């Protein structure tokens, strides 16, 4: 925990994302973006942690994030994602979707494109709660239950799925290039296939017990059928979307809402979750050649694991470790990554060995030596 | 009416025209002022002015102070009570140092911005904030030395010396300037630097500076040697060593006598500067007072005087010296400033006076709230009950937190402060939390989590109801349902199901998402009878669609017989049964048909059956009776037939 530095930034951070680094270079990420919320004037800001070894930071010790530039943002920043190296998409509590461009040489930000009332109710604003993009396509979801597809550089909207959901859609992620997955506040995962013209989801998955709202979702980077979600009761669920309509395993992770869940992009045996209770957990699983644990049964007091059935084929090496999470066999380890007693950790992002997270205590924590 | 301690300040409202009569209303942290037509003449002004007392919470750099100190505060509250008191004291001292380092960090940042900004107004504002923070840190440091660390005689002076050195940074700057010049010994500030070092008790550095001068004046070598000896021999108390205070006192007196002897011998008569230094070492007050500009403050004078005349001063004796030093230092023309009075009160160990004076002097409760809380943990405040029943610590924390709650963003910090006010914190929180504006669902969820964790179920219900109504207004039935599930509000769930019924059954304009909602209710179905009915009814339609007629029939019947369906719905259900009755094969058994007939009779014979007057209804009933009769016949035959 000595590697983690806190920086107080005078704004509550709602989202933070690393800027993409090209896979060819083995560089660690050096720039991240943050969005604020609940301020009179909200901002998006870009910060640098100077990983190139450049020592033109005369004040602040090494690793202290330095503000590169910032820009006013209308409404709370509810979600944020990099479109490419220079452009970032943000969604706002006013229902607007904006693309900002970072000009590297002048270190300024300008608005590249804006859809001011992408999401909305007839008589008032509907916050736009989630965005995911795969350049140039951008998909957003909001409290009005709509799914909207945009294209960067095109003025209008490409496609709208009205009334995709009668409750709020909290998060969205790509499953395949033409399929997305959304989670809503009545505890359902819905799969949408854009190749189909109909406005109905192609598949619906949900928990069998209480329909607890789900707040975040992330797909396994390599295996597209494995998805992790986090909900209002702090449970981490891992789903296999090919099989069954209920989660493969459930783990008690936090004591309050889980705001964000992220698989490590290059090392997917590691998973990170952050929550309203102020903790950030690092989950590490290991594939071993033992007999799969669901055949051995067993329960652990810190975790409820319900494995549904043996996958067809039964070849051990293909069984993903996440689908049989059972910490009693030493295959799942959890570590706290933050000093205790912070206010809610709203967002986290991890790339390479660097982890950044933002809290309601107006602090950003950067850890540059995450053990992955 | 109680006496006012200070004259209230007058704030002019520039936008309001002269001579107008102003009305006002108190807000939680501000006053709303408006012009009235009381005086009659002229047109009314349509502005409302908001007068805020506390600008500080809106300053971006000071916000860091609030956040970081909140973190320290929460950590302080969770210190275990059962630690031995020595460990606790060290912990409290380190917490106090944490607070102070936070103040310093803030100060440095403000200073940087004040220096680098181009706008004069901003520079002055930040400059003011820097000086206030400087004063705050000074007071806090002194309180730490006197109250928290509570150093005994001997170490007390050493701590006070550190305190003074920390707050007089310009000596080092000047020294650097002098040393970097070509010939330090001939620099015009050289002797000032040397004397300043001596005044601060930094004798090593003074000696090093003097060496340079000695090199220039080989003739006076013996004098320089003498002063060097005196400076090097001055005893300093070592708290960790095995020398007792009395032994130290004896040694010190010996040294002091030697210094006096040198003075009386006129050893330094030929060199004015060295004579001055010697007089300072002897603790001569007049010489000290001659160097007022170098001392610059009366408390520096106090500490220097004690250093060279009473190094074994006891804490209880401090206030005599403090009072006399203040009087000596300030001429008849200058008046003690509020800061001086506060420091004096601290030297007199009058904690309450310190807190009171600070509360008046500062416009933000931050400092007094945190300091009082820390002192209370050190058990230094007597339980001094105020009129309102709570003690001083709680009163200050409540005031501070209430001020925070008016801030659009810092209200989350205030929650933790209220938590640690045992008497009134909960009540304050209950009143304030409902007033947080809820623009997005995410914010509402956070507020709800705060309420949940503190068992504030009233507030949970009320917030959920607000959000559910908003969702309902926008026709987001799923959201509304999820809010009513959160609040466990059965009545609202019934309201939602009425809407759903209208959407899906009567108007048939239910979109897929509404049907999907009913399909996937899960256990939420049990929240309200109407919801249960809707869920089951939808299930019936699904079964029918899947051609599982037997099960559909059973379900339909159970809806009526188990009284799940409301009476008003029975006609629709019976009409739905018609296609089942008209099927070629018999679906309803004889018993079931009897039950259906019974239901129909119940419906038509009940006194409140207004539909009986309409023709359509009568035809429907006729049709039903016919179908039921036919079905009964077929069922009896089928059941009576023996399979071949």
């Amino acid at each position: 925990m000595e590697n983690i530095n806190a920086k107080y930034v005078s704004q509550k951070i709602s989202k933070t994302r690393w800027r993409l680094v090209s896979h060819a270079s083995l560089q660690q990420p050096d720039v991240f973006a943050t969005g604020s919320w609940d301020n009179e004037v909200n901002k998006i800001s870009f910060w640098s942690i100077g990983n190139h070894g450049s020592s033109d930071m005369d004040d602040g010790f090494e690793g202290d994030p330095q503000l590169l530039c910032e820009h006013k943002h209308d409404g709370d920043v509810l979600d944020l994602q990099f479109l490419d190296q220079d452009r970032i998409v943000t969604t706002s509590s006013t229902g607007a979707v904006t693309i900002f461009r970072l000009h590297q040489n002048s270190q300024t930000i300008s608005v590249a494109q804006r859809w001011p009332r992408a999401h909305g109710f007839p008589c008032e604003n509907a916050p736009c709660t989630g965005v995911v993009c795969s350049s140039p396509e951008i998909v957003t979801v909001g409290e009005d239950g709509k799914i909207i597809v945009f294209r960067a550089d095109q003025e209008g909207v490409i496609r709208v799925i009205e009334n995709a959901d009668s409750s709020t859609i909290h998060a969205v992620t790509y499953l395949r290039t033409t399929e997305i997955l959304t989670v809503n506040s009545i505890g359902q995962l819905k799969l949408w296939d854009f190749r189909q013209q109909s406005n109905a989801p192609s598949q619906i998955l949900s928990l069998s017990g209480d329909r607890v709202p789900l707040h975040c979702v992330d797909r396994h980077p390599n295996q597209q059928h494995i998805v992790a979600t986090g909900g209002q009761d702090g449970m981490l669920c891992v789903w296999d979307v090919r099989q069954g309509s209920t989660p493969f395993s459930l783990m008690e992770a936090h004591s309050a809402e889980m705001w964000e869940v992220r698989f490590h992009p290059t090392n997917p045996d590691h998973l990170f979750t952050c929550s309203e209770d102020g903790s950030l957990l690092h989950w590490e699983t290991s594939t071993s050649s033992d007999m799969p644990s669901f055949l051995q049964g067993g329960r652990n007091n810190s975790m409820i694991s319900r494995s549904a059935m043996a996958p067809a084929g039964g070849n051990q090496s293909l069984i993903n470790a996440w689908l049989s999470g059972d910490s009693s066999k030493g295959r799942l380890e959890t570590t706290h990554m933050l000093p205790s007693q912070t206010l809610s950790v709203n967002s986290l992002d991890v790339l390479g060995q660097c982890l950044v997270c933002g809290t309601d205590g107006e602090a950003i924590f950067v850890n540059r030596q995450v053990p992955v | 009416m109680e006496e006012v301690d200070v004259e209230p300040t007058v704030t002019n409202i520039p936008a309001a025209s002269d001579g107008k009569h102003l009305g006002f209303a108190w807000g939680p942290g501000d006053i709303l002022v408006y012009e009235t037509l009381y005086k009659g003449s002229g047109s009314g002004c349509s502005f409302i002015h908001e007068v805020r007392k506390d600008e500080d919470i809106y300053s971006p750099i000071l916000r860091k102070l609030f956040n970081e100190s909140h973190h320290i505060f929460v950590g302080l509250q969770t210190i275990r009570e059962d630690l031995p008191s020595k460990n606790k004291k060290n912990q409290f001292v380190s917490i106090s140092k944490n607070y102070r380092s936070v103040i310093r960090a803030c100060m440095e940042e403000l200073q940087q911005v004040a220096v680098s900004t181009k706008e004069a107004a901003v520079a002055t504002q930040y400059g003011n904030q820097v000086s206030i923070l400087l004063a705050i840190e000074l007071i806090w440091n002194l309180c730490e030395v006197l109250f928290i660390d509570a150093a005994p005689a001997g170490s007390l002076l050493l701590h006070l010396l550190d305190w003074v050195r920390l707050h007089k940074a310009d000596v080092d700057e000047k020294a650097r300037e002098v040393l970097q010049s070509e010939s330090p010994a001939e620099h015009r500030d050289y002797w000032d630097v040397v004397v300043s070092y001596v005044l601060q008790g930094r004798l090593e550095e003074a000696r090093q500076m003097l060496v340079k001068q000695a090199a220039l004046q080989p003739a006076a070598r013996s004098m320089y040697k003498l002063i060097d000896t005196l400076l090097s021999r001055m005893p300093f108390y070592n708290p960790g060593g095995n020398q007792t205070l009395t032994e130290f006192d004896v040694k010190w007196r010996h040294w002091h006598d030697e210094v006096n002897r040198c003075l009386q011998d006129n050893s330094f008569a030929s060199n004015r500067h060295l004579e001055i230094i010697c007089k300072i070492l002897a603790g001569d007050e007049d010489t000290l007072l001659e160097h007022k500009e170098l001392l610059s403050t009366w408390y520096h004078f106090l500490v220097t005087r004690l250093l060279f005349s009473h190094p074994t001063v006891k804490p209880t004796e401090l206030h005599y010296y403090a009072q006399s030093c203040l009087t000596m230092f300030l001429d008849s023309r200058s008046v003690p400033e509020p800061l001086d009075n506060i420091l004096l009160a601290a030297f007199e160990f009058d904690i309450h006076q310190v807190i009171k004076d600070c509360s008046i002097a500062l416009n933000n409760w931050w400092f007094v709230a945190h300091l009082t809380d820390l002192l209370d943990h050190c058990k230094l405040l007597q339980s001094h009950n105020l009129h309102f029943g709570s003690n001083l610590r709680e009163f200050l924390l409540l005031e501070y937190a209430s001020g925070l709650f008016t801030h659009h963003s810092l209200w989350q910090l205030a929650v933790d402060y209220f938590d640690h006010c045992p008497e009134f914190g909960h009540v304050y929180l209950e009143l304030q939390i409902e007033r947080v504006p809820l623009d997005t669902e995410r914010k509402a969820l956070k507020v709800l989590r705060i309420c949940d964790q503190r068992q504030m179920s009233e507030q949970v219900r009320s917030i959920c109801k607000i959000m559910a109504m908003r969702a309902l207004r926008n026709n987001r039935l799923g959201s509304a349902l999820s809010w009513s599930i959160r609040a466990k509000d059965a009545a609202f769930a019934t309201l939602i199901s009425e809407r759903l019924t209208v959407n899906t059954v009567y108007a048939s304009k239910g979109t897929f998402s509404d049907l999907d909602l009913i399909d996937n209710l899960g256990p939420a179905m049990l929240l309200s009878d109407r919801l249960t009915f809707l869920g089951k009814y939808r299930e019936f339609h699904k079964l029918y669609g899947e051609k599982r007629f037997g099960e559909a029939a059973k379900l339909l019947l159970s809806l009526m017989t188990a009284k799940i369906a409301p009476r008003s719905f029975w006609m629709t259900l019976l009409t739905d049964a018609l296609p089942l009755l008209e099927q070629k094969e018999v679906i309803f058994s004889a018993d079931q048909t009897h039950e259906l007939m019974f239901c129909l009779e119940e419906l038509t014979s009940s006194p409140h059956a207004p539909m009986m007057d309409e023709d359509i209804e009568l035809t429907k009933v006729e049709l039903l009776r016919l179908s039921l009769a036919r079905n009964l016949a077929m069922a009896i035959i089928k059941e009576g037939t023996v399979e071949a």
Side-chain angles (χ1 to χ4, degrees), chain B residues 195-393:
Chain B
V195 171
S196 300
Y197 275 146
V198 175
L199 289 171
Q200 286 193 0
R202 291 157 76 172
L203 303 184
E204 265 305 309
E205 284 141 304
R207 286 173 61 204
Q208 283 170 6
M209 291 288 279
L210 280 174
V211 160
K212 300 196 195 309
Q213 187 68 260
L216 283 184
Q217 298 180 10
R221 233 183 50 162
S222 56
M223 268 204 299
Y224 281 95
K225 197 89 188 17
L226 184 56
I227 197 84
D228 193 71
T229 325
L230 284 179
L231 286 171
S232 66
R233 289 236 208 102
M234 175 172 178
F236 278 93
Y237 181 64
N238 183 1
N242 36 19
Q243 184 193 49
T244 66
L245 199 59
T246 359
E247 284 171 17
F248 164 73
D249 199 33
V250 165
K251 264 185 79 175
W252 187 84
R253 284 198 191 286
H254 278 307
W255 175 84
H256 192 81
D257 290 337
E258 204 179 315
V259 173
N260 276 327
R261 242 179 297 127
C262 286
L263 273 181
Q264 277 155 14
D265 288 347
N266 284 330
S267 324
F268 302 107
S270 48
N271 190 325
R272 185 177 61 95
H273 295 288
L274 293 182
E275 172 117 21
I276 288 175
I277 292 177
C278 196
K279 284 195 179 157
I280 292 176
L281 290 179
D284 181 41
E285 284 163 14
D286 296 320
T287 327
L288 290 177
L289 284 170
E290 277 168 27
H291 289 93
K292 265 198 206 169
E293 322 83 53
L294 289 182
L295 288 171
S296 75
T297 52
W298 64 272
Y299 42 90
H300 191 337
F301 173 51
L302 166 68
V303 174
T304 308
R305 182 180 161 209
L306 287 173
L307 175 64
F308 293 119
S309 49
H310 299 101
T312 55
V313 62
K314 293 208 263 293
T316 42
E317 297 166 350
L318 264 183
H319 69 275
Y320 295 125
Y321 294 108
Q323 186 63 62
S324 62
C325 283
L326 180 59
T327 337
M328 277 195 268
F329 197 86
L330 296 176
D331 312 330
S332 48
R333 47 189 164 84
S334 48
V335 178
E337 289 182 1
L339 177 61
D340 298 326
N341 288 329
I342 294 171
L343 292 174
L344 199 57
F347 283 122
E348 289 169 9
F349 283 80
D350 189 352
I351 300 183
H352 289 278
Q353 189 64 31
V354 171
I355 294 172
K356 184 172 167 205
D357 285 342
C358 288
S359 312
I360 296 172
L362 300 165
N363 66 345
N364 184 296
W365 295 101
W366 177 84
F367 172 55
V368 282
H370 286 88
L371 183 62
T372 313
D373 173 61
L374 183 56
L375 292 175
D376 188 65
H377 271 89
C378 303
K379 309 257 187 293
L380 289 167
L381 292 177
Q382 301 119 338
S383 54
H384 192 138
N385 270 341
L386 303 171
H387 306 302
F388 345 95
S390 62
N391 60 20
L392 184 64
R393 167 191 173 267

Side-chain angles (χ1 to χ4, degrees), chain A residues 230-283:
Chain A
Q232 197 174 73
D233 52 356
M235 294 273 262
L236 172 68
C237 307
V238 182
W239 309 68
D240 183 343
V241 294
R242 293 172 314 192
Q243 308 177 351
S245 60
T246 51
F248 222 89
S249 54
L250 289 144
M251 290 163 269
E252 278 176 22
H254 295 279
S255 55
E257 285 89 349
M258 189 190 301
W259 291 122
E260 198 138 21
V261 61
R262 310 286 278 173
F263 279 100
H264 192 283
T266 47
N267 206 338
D269 282 341
H270 298 261
L271 180 81
F272 297 85
T273 59
C274 68
S275 153
E276 177 75 22
D277 65 3
S279 61
L280 203 167
L281 293 179
H282 172 190
W283 303 73

Side-chain angles (χ1 to χ4, degrees), chain B residues 532-575:
Chain B
T532 318
F533 160 65
L534 257 183
K536 294 278 173 208
Y537 186 55
R538 173 93 187 111
E539 206 180 317
F540 161 71
H541 274 291
K542 275 212 298 215
L543 288 171
Y544 188 89
E546 289 167 17
K547 304 222 189 301
R548 287 150 70 180
F549 296 129
E551 293 166 47
K554 234 190 286 193
L555 183 57
L556 187 64
L557 198 53
S558 68
L559 281 178
M560 283 190 282
T561 51
K563 308 268 187 278
I564 300 177
R567 209 33 108 71
S568 51
F569 225 74
W570 281 14
M571 205 55 213
T572 322
L573 289 176
L574 286 168
T575 321

